[in-house]
Amino acid sequence: KNEVEQSPQNLTAQEGEFITINCSYSVGISALHWLQQHPGGGIVSLFMLSSGKKKHGRLIATINIQEKHSSLHITASHPRDSAVYICAVRSGERGGADGLTFGKGTHLIIQP
Amino acid sequence: DSGVTQTPKHLITATGQRVTLRCSPRSGDLSVYWYQQSLDQGLQFLIQYYNGEERAKGNILERFSAQQFPDLHSELNLSSLELGDSALYFCASSSGSYYNEQFFGPGTRLTVL
């Protein structure tokens, strides 16, 4: 079974700061997802990665397959970025026959 | 809006009862996943259906069952409910291709009293 570890568990920062959230996993994967969950409970998919780096607005996600590690960065952070960020992985099996295994999430608070 | 719909939004019931949660995937998506989010266990994968057939099972209890219908909507049936079944239940859908992004519904919040 794949274990997914996220750090930090909680992060409070000031508006404008550069934010990094880390995710490590234990076995081979076919893809890694970064998800955002707001206090209302809804989950939004931010990125799906299998290699390299992706950027969307102020969000950047990177993955190092050899090191089994991924990072989510937020540049110029804003109070509206306050949410729980969850790393999730799909196993290395083909055919999309697995659900996701989730980290426990990073609770981010951006103060104005 | 992800395009995935779930009903009901909230459900309050008593121990021992049975409930059915419904999910409609995004148009064209063939795969439906069910997840449970509880305070103590976090998010867990329950079960996946692809084009009407069960594809993968995760940590789904024997008291729980699911199915996907010909129109691709899915239902998750929870029976003999216990207090510990109180959780958010999410449905997600994807196209079913190998590298596929999953789109999450808004969730159903189940409270068992």
Side-chain angles (χ1 to χ4, degrees), chain B residues 5-12 19-23 34-37 76 78 85-91 105-111:
Chain B
T5 60
Q6 288 187 249
T7 56
K9 193 168 182 178
H10 299 280
L11 196 48
I12 301 173
V19 297
T20 297
L21 313 183
R22 182 187 169 106
C23 168
W34 285 98
Y35 298 96
Q36 179 195 59
Q37 185 177 35
L76 179 67
L78 315 176
D85 298 327
S86 296
L88 261 172
Y89 291 84
F90 289 100
C91 161
T108 293
R109 185 174 295 279
L110 173 67
T111 303

Side-chain angles (χ1 to χ4, degrees), chain A residues 5-54:
Chain A
E5 298 286 337
Q6 280 187 242
S7 63
Q9 278 190 299
N10 298 284
L11 179 57
T12 300
Q14 296 297 312
E15 184 174 354
E17 287 189 37
F18 182 82
I19 303 299
T20 296
I21 299 170
N22 296 299
C23 175
S24 297
Y25 51 91
S26 57
V27 300
I29 63 170
S30 61
L32 182 143
H33 297 247
W34 281 103
L35 310 170
Q36 180 192 56
Q37 186 171 29
H38 278 283
I43 295 175
V44 174
S45 178
L46 299 175
F47 295 102
M48 188 187 74
L49 296 160
S50 54
S51 65
K53 177 179 174 177
K54 285 190 176 180

